[in-house]
Amino acid sequence: MTAETADHTRAAGGTRWRAGEHILWRYRANGSDALHICRPMTVVRDTPDLLAVWMAPGTACVKPELADGTPVHREPLATRYTKPRRTVRSRWFGTGVLKLARTGEPWSVWLFWERGWRFKNWYVNLEEPLRRWAGGVDSEDHFLDIAVYPDRTWEWRDEDEFDQAQRAGLMDAAQAERVRAAGRRAVEAIRAWRSPFGDGWEDWRPDPAWRIPRLPRDWDREPVRIG
């Protein structure tokens, strides 16, 4: 069965994935329909309210880098969003990441651990609400983020990148204000310790029988929409 046939089968069979199934979590480049990030994930839970997925250590992914091979994070901020880019395959380093996305929210919450499963922090990634398709979910990152720590303190992250993206024309003033408003709503959830922060996900562990998902050759294929 081809990937496209499998997508049609999934579309016909429903919009919920079972625990242990593999999907793709992808991001489009800002201001473009081109996909530039792809991470194969294992489904932990998929309900009408929440999608939880696990990215295992060593997972083969796709990420952007500058056309000359410079890692994006090493390029000076002034030219980080203006120089030509390309996509390359890489492997996720360090420990795995648990991603939680509540339906319709313009952010997802990521959980990070140190080695030995010592919980490190939550990370609120401001982004477009996930668009589900037969093989996974797509979004667009909005640069601005929030780090949340076990003692319930929090801080804004990547504000410099958020500002530079506006200067580079990747986000206009109206969209920037919508992102800021979304961030303020996320902060309200943090202060009230609403779901998912108070749900005990930091004690979750992956099924040891799960295998690492493969990165398909057609990772950037046109999605078969299911919702």
Side-chain angles (χ1 to χ4, degrees):
M1 179 182 293
T2 67
E4 185 173 357
T5 303
D7 281 355
H8 281 293
T9 301
R10 166 58 63 185
T15 63
R16 298 293 158 201
W17 294 293
R18 297 181 298 273
E21 285 194 272
H22 296 163
I23 66 171
L24 302 179
W25 185 297
R26 310 188 302 184
Y27 287 99
R28 298 185 306 278
N30 297 83
S32 168
D33 290 330
L35 294 157
H36 71 150
I37 293 174
C38 179
R39 295 166 182 165
M41 317 286 287
T42 300
V43 175
V44 175
R45 182 184 301 174
D46 186 20
T47 70
D49 298 321
L50 177 73
L51 174 65
V53 294
W54 166 247
M55 182 166 60
T59 298
C61 304
V62 172
K63 68 177 183 179
E65 68 176 17
L66 299 189
D68 64 4
T70 302
V72 172
H73 69 279
R74 292 184 180 175
E75 177 67 18
L77 193 60
T79 53
R80 188 173 299 173
Y81 302 122
T82 57
K83 285 190 175 181
R85 294 188 179 193
R86 65 186 182 187
T87 57
V88 295
R89 296 190 177 214
S90 64
R91 292 195 178 273
W92 185 261
F93 60 90
T95 58
V97 182
L98 179 67
K99 296 188 178 186
L100 309 174
R102 293 177 60 83
T103 302
E105 279 186 340
W107 65 78
S108 57
V109 179
W110 304 2
L111 283 77
F112 291 89
W113 289 265
E114 304 283 5
R115 295 190 183 279
W117 286 104
R118 185 172 68 86
F119 183 64
K120 182 181 179 182
N121 67 283
W122 294 269
Y123 197 80
V124 179
N125 195 73
L126 294 168
E127 59 192 31
E128 285 187 359
L130 297 181
R131 297 174 61 188
R132 298 171 66 98
W133 58 284
V137 293
D138 290 355
S139 184
E140 180 179 296
D141 184 73
H142 285 160
F143 301 99
L144 188 62
D145 306 299
I146 307 169
V148 185
Y149 302 102
D151 63 359
R152 301 193 183 189
T153 59
W154 60 273
E155 62 177 337
W156 294 104
R157 298 294 299 272
D158 301 329
E159 289 184 285
D160 56 346
E161 294 189 358
F162 181 66
D163 292 341
Q164 184 62 34
Q166 295 170 64
R167 288 192 289 269
L170 298 180
M171 183 180 297
D172 62 25
Q175 184 183 17
E177 179 50 38
R178 290 194 296 270
V179 174
R180 278 288 188 189
R184 290 191 291 269
R185 294 196 301 273
V187 168
E188 291 174 2
I190 295 165
R191 286 172 170 162
W193 213 241
R194 293 200 296 268
S195 184
F197 303 102
D199 295 344
W201 282 103
E202 61 270 27
D203 298 321
W204 173 87
R205 300 293 182 268
D207 186 332
W210 284 347
R211 60 183 177 84
I212 297 178
R214 296 177 60 187
L215 177 66
R217 287 192 298 269
D218 60 346
W219 62 269
D220 57 349
R221 65 188 180 272
E222 181 68 21
V224 178
R225 296 292 176 196
I226 57 176

